[in-house]
């Protein structure tokens, strides 16, 4: 267990917001843009949006969207910081990242609380997210000092060497499901490699990433190295189109990913795309049933099911279909839904009213197409009156599913598991890969040869054997097919935030062919 934050840290946070650790008490008071080491209002913020608390449906405040001028100021400030930061050694950068990780650890409870208030996920899960976040900074702090090139001997004593260099000002654009964690997954390798970053969170979850910006400043990054611009699609477009932006790393939906890639193509900017999925989880009849059931719950119900790599197509071998279904339904019905800041809550509120309605719409459509609701799938109204306008639903398990149903083909991004029976390995692999997505996949079996054979055949970037949705930061994460490309986490991410320079050195005279 990690130490709880000391109380002396709380007033610093309360300086920008009135907050206690209770649902329905937070009020947004300070600006949410961050530029050159300070919170600021955007110079051209003409449009404002409300921020909601999913647990109560309450408006917590308003914030301003940034326009083209503000985006340009953020880029200029990041460019200036890049000049300083990129000249530091890997070890110097490492020390700053370690200090930032330490501060996150110290402020864990406060950040997790804010994440819960803004996203609606349970405080239990938010703490895990924050732990993964500081671990990510620690991991890349460790790699920063290990960035190195290659030495190559050439004829006559000549030689060449390679340098791995930073790209410049990188843009991070994030989704709302893991606001703080996504920002860390992008900024940690970016900064470790010597880049600056401008980050745009989802307009639904604008709050916690500004805390990260403050932490980086406190840890000692140059002012401007990590800036935050708030806004939606238009702000994101200004960022992607800016000529001084060297790279875009995006987490979000496939349609937006396509637009980001098109914009980046115009500027020949490299992109990393972490997009959606409809991942298969294959459960063979020789599995340890209890593990398979727990795996299916982990694969479907974290963060109210709003997880890109969820294994939402649960293929179960026919021999154990009944036993598995019975157990999974029993466990799903026991999930404690309610106030996300209450310690024993395990499922909080979905991100927004429209999203909740969209998820419920998928369930209605599934019923129309012949699926059977085995449990849940209804709105959930907690007893506590202050939560009655929150965006809650009961986690749902669907039986009698077929591969051609919408609930099996499309990403729902909510707590909805579809169970699909299968008979043979060959058949299930064919069906599992029959999707345009390719983010993740999982297999439960006690047969080790089969386990490795199955994951080798799965067309997915992140595969699990006998577990699902664990996320050690040492492991590269990213998709195949329409789920995107590039990798976050692991050593692999360093390649996506750096470029290779080759230096060819002549030790003799120049032999001209002319
Ligand atoms: N593979 C992964 O790691 C993850 C993927 N996702 C995917 O994200 C989706 C849910 O997240 P949303 O925030 O609704 O996705 P989204 O694609 O609507 O938005 C993601 C981000 O892109 C920004 N954006 C929207 N239009 C833009 C444009 N034209 N130019 C530049 N930026 C633009 C948004 O403001 C937001 O910050 C799901 O479909 C899910 O599959 C979500 C989390 C993780
Ligand atoms: C942390 N994990 C593995 C549950 C989800 C990470 C991917 C995402 O942002 O949806």
């Amino acid at each position: 267990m990690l130490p709880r934050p000391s109380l002396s840290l709380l007033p610093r946070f309360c300086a920008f917001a009135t907050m206690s650790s209770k649902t329905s008490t937070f009020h947004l008071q300070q600006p949410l843009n961050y530029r050159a080491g300070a919170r600021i209002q955007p110079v051209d913020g003409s449009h404002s949006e409300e921020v909601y608390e999913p647990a109560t449906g309450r408006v917590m405040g308003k914030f301003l969207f940034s326009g083209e001028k503000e985006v340009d100021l953020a880029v200029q400030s990041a460019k200036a910081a890049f000049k300083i930061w990129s000249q530091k050694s890997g070890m110097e950068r490492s020390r700053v990242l370690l200090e930032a990780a330490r501060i996150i650890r110290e402020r864990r409870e406060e950040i997790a609380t804010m994440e819960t208030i803004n996203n609606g996920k349970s405080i239990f899960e938010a703490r895990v997210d924050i732990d993964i976040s500081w671990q990510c900074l620690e991991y890349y702090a460790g790699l920063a000092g290990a960035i190195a090139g290659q030495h190559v001997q050439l004829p006559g004593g000549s030689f060449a060497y390679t340098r791995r260099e930073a790209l410049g000002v990188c843009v991070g654009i994030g989704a709302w499901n893991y606001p703080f964690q996504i920002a860390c997954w992008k900024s940690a390798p970016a900064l470790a490699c010597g880049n600056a970053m401008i980050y745009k969170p989802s307009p639904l979850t604008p709050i916690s990433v500004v805390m990260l910006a403050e932490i980086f400043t406190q840890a000692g990054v140059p002012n401007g190295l990590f800036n935050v611009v708030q806004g939606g699609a238009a702000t994101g477009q200004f960022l992607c189109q800016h000529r001084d932006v060297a790279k875009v790393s995006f987490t979000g939906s496939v349609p937006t990913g396509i637009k980001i890639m098109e914009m980046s193509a115009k500027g020949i900017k490299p992109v990393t795309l972490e997009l959606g999925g409809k991942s298969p989880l294959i459960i063979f009849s020789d599995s340890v049933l209890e593990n398979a059931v727990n795996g299916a719950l982990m694969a479907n119900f974290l963060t109210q099911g709003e997880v890109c790599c969820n294994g939402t197509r649960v293929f179960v071998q026919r021999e154990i279909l009944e036993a598995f279904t019975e157990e999974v339904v029993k466990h799903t019905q026991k999930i404690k839904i309610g106030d996300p800041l209450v310690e024993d809550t395990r499922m909080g509120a979905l991100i927004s009213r429209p999203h909740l309605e969209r998820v419920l719409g998928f369930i209605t459509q599934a019923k129309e197409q012949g699926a059977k609701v085995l449990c849940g799938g209804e709105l959930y109204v907690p007893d506590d009156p202050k939560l009655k306008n929150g965006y809650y639903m009961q986690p749902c398990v669907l039986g009698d599913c077929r591969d051609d149903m919408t609930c099996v083909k499309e990403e729902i991004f909510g707590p909805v598991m579809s169970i699909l029976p299968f008979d043979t390995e060959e058949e299930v692999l064919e069906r599992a890969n029959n999707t345009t997505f390719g983010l993740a996949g999982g297999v439960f079996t006690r047969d080790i040869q089969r386990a490795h054979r199955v994951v080798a055949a799965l067309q997915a970037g992140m595969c699990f054997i006998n577990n699902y949705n664990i996320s050690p930061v040492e492991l590269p994460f990213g998709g195949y097919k329409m789920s995107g490309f590039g990798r976050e986490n692991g050593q692999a991410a360093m390649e996506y935030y750096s470029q290779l320079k080759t230096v060819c050195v002549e030790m003799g005279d120049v032999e001209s062919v002319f």
Side-chain angles (χ1 to χ4, degrees):
M1 276 299 283
L2 287 153
R4 301 193 127 233
S6 74
L7 284 175
S8 65
L9 289 162
L10 291 173
R12 177 158 31 97
F13 177 62
C14 293
F16 87 83
T18 310
M19 176 199 149
S20 79
S21 55
K22 287 225 165 27
T23 298
S24 201
T25 55
F26 175 80
H27 294 284
L28 192 59
Q29 283 172 355
Q30 280 208 0
L32 294 181
N33 266 31
Y34 195 88
R35 170 157 51 81
R39 284 174 181 267
I40 40 123
Q41 292 291 12
V43 288
D44 51 4
S46 49
H47 171 73
S48 75
E49 287 266 319
E50 292 174 327
V51 196
Y52 292 87
E53 179 180 42
T56 59
R58 184 180 61 98
V59 174
M60 298 189 285
K62 285 186 170 190
F63 69 105
L64 290 168
F65 275 27
S66 300
E68 195 167 9
K69 179 93 186 96
E70 179 62 30
V71 163
D72 186 55
L73 288 173
V75 173
Q76 298 317 323
S77 143
K79 271 173 76 178
F82 172 71
K83 277 198 185 137
I84 305 166
W85 185 248
S86 57
Q87 292 308 309
K88 292 196 182 296
S89 74
M91 286 299 281
E92 287 170 313
R93 296 198 290 264
S94 170
R95 257 172 250 133
V96 175
L97 289 175
L98 283 176
E99 174 61 5
R102 189 195 63 73
I103 302 170
I104 295 174
R105 252 193 331 267
E106 198 173 67
R107 297 176 65 181
R108 174 191 195 236
E109 197 61 20
E110 181 194 347
I111 304 168
T113 302
M114 204 60 254
E115 199 76 328
T116 290
I117 289 172
N118 197 185
N119 169 277
K121 68 173 74 189
S122 74
I123 184 70
F124 181 88
E125 269 195 56
R127 288 187 191 121
V128 178
D129 295 359
I130 306 312
D131 289 344
I132 293 173
S133 302
W134 64 253
Q135 285 160 16
C136 182
L137 265 66
E138 277 195 346
Y139 177 75
Y140 287 104
L143 290 185
I147 298 170
Q150 196 189 9
H151 178 272
V152 185
Q153 290 186 356
L154 296 173
S158 291
F159 63 95
Y161 60 94
T162 58
R163 292 162 49 87
R164 194 151 272 288
E165 296 182 347
L167 296 165
V169 177
C170 300
V171 159
I173 298 180
W176 42 257
N177 57 344
Y178 287 83
F180 194 84
Q181 192 184 98
I182 295 175
C184 287
W185 282 16
K186 296 191 190 305
S187 59
L191 269 49
C193 289
N195 302 286
M197 176 163 267
I198 303 175
Y199 194 84
K200 192 198 81 59
S202 162
L204 298 178
T205 50
I207 300 175
S208 61
V209 69
V210 200
M211 299 169 83
L212 177 65
E214 288 178 328
I215 288 168
F216 277 136
T217 301
Q218 197 191 338
V221 309
N223 287 344
L225 193 76
F226 184 81
N227 291 328
V228 178
V229 294
Q230 302 283 354
T235 311
Q237 281 168 15
F238 292 133
L239 282 166
C240 295
Q241 288 163 350
H242 199 291
R243 52 175 290 188
D244 292 336
V245 164
K247 185 221 159 79
V248 181
S249 175
F250 171 74
T251 297
S253 63
V254 173
T256 310
I258 292 169
K259 288 183 195 149
I260 301 262
M261 201 166 155
E262 280 168 358
M263 285 186 279
S264 304
K266 296 218 169 76
I268 318 282
K269 297 184 208 305
V271 281
T272 295
L273 299 177
E274 298 289 356
L275 310 177
K278 192 74 200 178
S279 301
L281 171 60
I282 304 172
I283 296 172
F284 285 94
S285 57
D286 67 345
S287 312
V288 178
L289 189 68
E290 198 187 334
N291 284 337
V293 168
N294 284 332
L297 298 169
M298 285 292 288
N300 281 274
F301 298 138
L302 287 174
T303 304
Q304 298 73 243
E306 300 155 325
V307 179
C308 54
C309 46
N310 270 0
T312 45
R313 290 183 294 144
V314 181
F315 291 97
V316 183
Q317 207 161 21
R318 210 172 297 273
E319 293 90 313
I320 59 159
L321 180 65
E322 216 182 297
F324 173 87
T325 306
E326 194 182 317
E327 278 303 299
V328 106
V329 166
K330 212 158 64 186
H331 281 74
T332 303
Q333 284 169 326
K334 281 195 200 138
I335 294 175
K336 180 142 187 297
I337 317 163
D339 188 338
L341 280 177
V342 167
E343 282 298 326
D344 65 349
T345 294
R346 289 295 176 272
M347 186 171 287
L350 276 72
I351 191 69
S352 66
R353 173 73 53 194
H355 186 63
L356 172 66
E357 277 160 15
R358 191 172 166 267
V359 172
L360 292 170
F362 271 109
I363 296 170
T364 307
Q365 195 179 16
K367 285 192 271 191
E368 284 161 8
Q369 292 177 353
K372 188 167 167 202
V373 174
L374 302 176
C375 69
E378 303 280 339
L379 272 180
Y380 178 80
V381 184
D383 293 336
D384 184 344
K386 72 173 181 288
L387 307 178
K388 72 176 192 324
N389 292 321
Y391 318 132
Y392 303 91
M393 66 172 280
Q394 300 160 349
C396 176
V397 178
L398 295 174
D400 293 349
C401 294
R402 292 183 322 265
D403 294 2
D404 64 347
M405 289 175 173
T406 311
C407 65
V408 178
K409 290 202 304 209
E410 287 184 24
E411 184 181 46
I412 299 175
F413 225 56
V416 185
M417 177 193 305
S418 297
I419 298 184
L420 300 143
F422 75 93
D423 294 298
T424 69
E425 180 181 322
E426 195 189 1
E427 167 216 332
V428 78
L429 277 171
E430 173 75 33
R431 292 168 61 195
N433 286 331
N434 187 17
T435 165
T436 54
F437 294 114
L439 189 52
V443 56
F444 275 82
T445 176
R446 271 189 272 209
D447 177 340
I448 56 164
Q449 275 128 342
R450 175 157 61 194
H452 295 291
R453 200 167 56 229
V454 166
V455 292
L458 281 178
Q459 294 161 0
M462 177 80 232
C463 291
F464 298 92
I465 295 175
N466 291 334
N467 206 338
Y468 206 97
N469 261 348
I470 52 167
S471 41
V473 295
E474 304 92 312
L475 309 185
F477 178 85
Y480 280 15
K481 302 188 336 195
M482 295 281 276
S483 293
F485 53 76
R487 290 293 175 267
E488 301 202 294
N489 290 342
Q491 287 191 30
M494 298 293 272
E495 278 180 34
Y496 294 96
Y497 283 104
S498 58
Q499 53 194 340
L500 198 64
K501 178 177 281 173
T502 303
V503 182
C504 183
V505 183
E506 177 60 63
M507 295 296 281
D509 293 326
V510 178
E511 280 178 31
S512 171
V513 293
F514 303 107

